[in-house]
Amino acid sequence: MEEYREYKTLMLILTENCNLNCVYCYEHHKTLDDMPFETAKKAIDSEFQDLDQYEHGEIELFGGEPFLNFPLVKRIYDYVMETYGKDNDIVFSTTTNGTLVHGEIQDWLRERKDNFIVTLSLDGTPEMHNANRPLLGGQGSFEKIDLDFFRECWDRCCAKMTFSNKNIGNFADGVIYVDQLGFEPLATFASGMNWEGAETRKQLTEQMQKLVAYYVSNPDKKLCQMLNMNLALMFYPVDDDFRYCGAGLRKKCFDIQGNWYPCQGLSPLTVGKEAAKQFCNRDFFDFRLSQDNPCRNCRWVRLCRTCYAANYLETGCIERNCRDMCFINRLCMLACSKIKFERLLRKKELSKDDQLEMRAIIQIQQSVLDDPM
Amino acid sequence: MSLTLNANDMAKLKNMLNDSEAMFGEVHNFKPEHVVFACTCQGNCDGRTSGCSWG
């Protein structure tokens, strides 16, 4: 599996504790417990013993909210850089709710911003964000975030945006707001929500139309994550190398006990101790789409945004996609195809690579005529 | 803005495709240079921007 050896990613769940109570949180088994440093050290040493065979190593510090245990963040960083950083390219990353990133934490991050990449969870306008992401006491968390700090430290700092059914009626406004704030919107729809119903679909469609208009009138803007698709992928057949993501292959997630799982979505923090046993020490090298999986013969499967853990939580099976997501995925493909068409029109010269994109746009658009959404 | 192409746009696109086929020959298959995942973030998960879209 040489192709997977460019880098090695190790995720450490530093704490199962969080100071927020987000409406869509998938971590249903939170505790107040943290990972002991010795557990982190053991995981790092076991994973990085062959680091010289990789281009670089990445450590993701995850939670809960990782900065609830800032001393542990610092201790792990210092240990890794002293032990492995002299001979290897090491990148740290974390996802934070931002509410604790002030004062000493800001000073520390500012000094390390070149190899410590921070992604901020930010759900759109203050109203949208606060509806989704209240503090444990119920107050909104938006005002607790120092947005300027994140913008100053990281160019186009990534903002992980999650849409719930509380803010579906203005998700386009949220993406545009975050984009114009100077963040890179990584927008996605929460799993575990009910996206059924004619009114929901109407709202989703209207918002997507608004987003398309924004990107068409701003042709140089990078598309937000959910619309940023390589449409040519639909001409890349599903084979034995097909995977939903890099979980288990490129990434191992260690929980606070030091056990590893393919990703945090399949760890005890998310699915509970009993259910997580089946995923403990499991890579996905042997993963195959079953012959009877309807997605296997779907022509959009390479474009469809699918997640093992979301599937498990929704359907009880890692390879079975939640059917609600079919509509959302098709909507994203359709929106992407419209924007790409408008952008192709603006190109002075078309390349050979554009041909597949044109072919994909025609097929996606035709599919809506044949099978209206 | 509509998400679908109207008949004129569709015709325009098909003409562009015909021109491309005349210039470059017909291209039907695609194989990306790197391993590509169809996950929620299409591979961003393993880049330097951390985590998957769940994070």
Side-chain angles (χ1 to χ4, degrees):
Chain A
M1 285 285 185
E2 197 60 34
E3 57 203 333
Y4 296 124
R5 297 178 74 87
E6 297 154 35
Y7 40 83
K8 189 169 227 181
T9 302
L10 164 66
M11 175 186 263
L12 302 174
I13 297 178
L14 299 192
T15 178
E16 294 185 341
N17 193 8
C18 187
N19 59 330
L20 262 59
N21 186 25
C22 302
V23 295
Y24 49 67
C25 186
Y26 59 86
E27 293 179 344
H28 299 297
H29 299 270
K30 286 203 265 306
T31 70
L32 300 177
D33 298 332
D34 294 348
M35 176 183 272
F37 173 73
E38 289 305 320
T39 302
K41 180 175 176 295
K42 194 174 166 192
I44 293 162
D45 289 341
S46 71
E47 287 305 299
F48 278 6
Q49 58 183 329
D50 61 348
L51 193 58
D52 56 353
Q53 294 174 32
Y54 294 81
E55 283 181 22
H56 75 268
E58 177 173 339
I59 297 188
E60 293 180 35
L61 304 180
F62 211 73
E65 169 50 46
F67 288 112
L68 278 172
N69 196 338
F70 182 47
L72 183 59
V73 172
K74 289 192 289 188
R75 201 168 169 199
I76 289 172
Y77 181 91
D78 290 343
Y79 173 72
V80 170
M81 294 311 291
E82 280 169 21
T83 311
Y84 300 98
K86 291 168 191 150
D87 301 321
N88 299 283
D89 183 13
I90 307 280
V91 180
F92 280 80
S93 60
T94 195
T95 300
T96 177
N97 61 41
T99 60
L100 304 172
V101 181
H102 300 280
E104 184 195 354
I105 296 179
Q106 285 193 0
D107 296 340
W108 188 87
L109 285 171
R110 195 177 281 113
E111 286 178 18
R112 292 158 184 81
K113 64 181 182 181
D114 291 336
N115 84 329
F116 201 115
I117 311 300
V118 175
T119 295
L120 177 67
S121 295
L122 185 67
D123 282 2
T125 64
E127 295 75 25
M128 292 172 71
H129 184 92
N130 287 338
N132 276 351
R133 303 179 63 80
L135 296 163
L136 287 178
Q139 316 95 303
S141 61
F142 187 91
E143 291 73 19
K144 301 279 184 192
I145 303 169
D146 181 356
L147 295 174
D148 288 340
F149 168 75
F150 292 95
R151 284 185 294 206
E152 283 164 17
C153 277
W154 297 279
D155 183 40
R156 294 289 292 175
C157 177
C158 289
K160 284 186 178 168
M161 307 183 65
T162 305
F163 304 121
S164 72
N165 46 17
K166 278 182 181 283
N167 57 16
I168 197 64
N170 51 0
F171 80 77
D173 300 321
V175 172
I176 294 167
Y177 176 81
V178 166
D179 184 63
Q180 291 181 341
L181 275 180
F183 288 84
E184 189 72 45
L186 304 182
T188 190
F189 293 90
S191 60
M193 292 267 165
N194 180 6
W195 299 110
E196 284 271 348
E199 182 55 30
T200 300
R201 292 187 171 199
K202 181 170 169 282
Q203 284 185 321
L204 285 166
T205 305
E206 286 171 356
Q207 287 296 301
M208 200 60 88
Q209 289 167 339
K210 196 168 183 178
L211 210 46
V212 168
Y214 176 70
Y215 284 114
V216 168
S217 59
N218 292 279
D220 297 324
K221 276 205 178 286
K222 183 185 171 189
L223 298 181
C224 66
Q225 177 206 31
M226 69 177 167
L227 298 181
N228 194 15
M229 297 178 179
N230 179 357
L231 297 180
L233 278 173
M234 68 174 284
F235 302 107
Y236 180 33
V238 170
D239 53 24
D240 286 347
D241 279 347
F242 179 82
R243 301 287 186 277
Y244 287 146
C245 70
L249 296 174
R250 287 176 169 172
K251 180 164 94 174
K252 282 183 180 175
C253 169
F254 287 81
D255 74 349
I256 61 169
Q257 311 286 340
N259 298 314
W260 74 264
Y261 302 85
C263 72
Q264 77 280 13
L266 297 170
S267 74
L269 180 58
T270 303
V271 299
K273 282 181 186 167
E274 272 309 301
K277 282 179 183 170
Q278 64 191 297
F279 303 117
C280 190
N281 299 331
R282 184 171 169 197
D283 61 40
F284 282 148
F285 276 93
D286 61 348
F287 177 81
R288 300 286 183 276
L289 280 184
S290 305
Q291 291 297 330
D292 63 345
N293 187 329
C295 296
R296 188 178 179 86
N297 296 316
C298 174
R299 59 182 160 166
W300 317 120
V301 69
R302 285 277 184 190
L303 299 178
C304 188
R305 271 80 195 273
T306 312
C307 166
Y308 300 111
N311 289 352
Y312 179 76
L313 290 174
E314 291 280 318
T315 68
C317 174
I318 58 170
E319 70 161 298
R320 297 282 169 172
N321 203 351
C322 166
R323 305 310 293 174
D324 282 0
M325 296 310 286
C326 279
F327 175 81
I328 291 177
N329 280 324
R330 284 188 71 198
L331 194 64
C332 289
M333 284 174 221
L334 187 63
C336 175
S337 74
K338 178 65 181 273
I339 299 167
K340 298 250 176 170
F341 167 73
E342 296 289 344
R343 292 189 172 186
L344 280 174
L345 288 182
R346 289 171 169 267
K347 283 184 88 168
K348 288 183 182 149
E349 218 171 284
L350 295 176
S351 69
K352 190 177 180 181
D353 292 341
D354 292 325
Q355 191 185 123
L356 280 173
E357 191 157 88
M358 287 188 267
R359 225 182 275 288
I361 294 169
I362 290 170
Q363 289 204 21
I364 291 168
Q365 290 282 329
Q366 193 65 46
S367 77
V368 178
L369 295 175
D370 298 341
D371 178 19
M373 293 169 68
Chain B
M1 175 176 275
S2 169
L3 300 180
T4 51
L5 302 186
N6 61 32
N8 280 343
D9 285 341
M10 202 65 154
K12 204 182 290 180
L13 182 58
K14 285 178 179 171
N15 283 337
M16 287 162 67
L17 179 60
N18 288 338
D19 290 346
S20 174
E21 287 173 350
M23 191 176 296
F24 301 112
E26 291 192 23
V27 184
H28 288 279
N29 297 314
F30 178 68
K31 185 162 174 54
E33 287 178 24
H34 304 289
V35 177
V36 172
F37 299 123
C39 57
T40 46
C41 48
Q42 290 213 323
N44 284 341
C45 61
D46 48 43
R48 296 188 172 206
T49 54
S50 124
C52 71
S53 59
W54 289 49

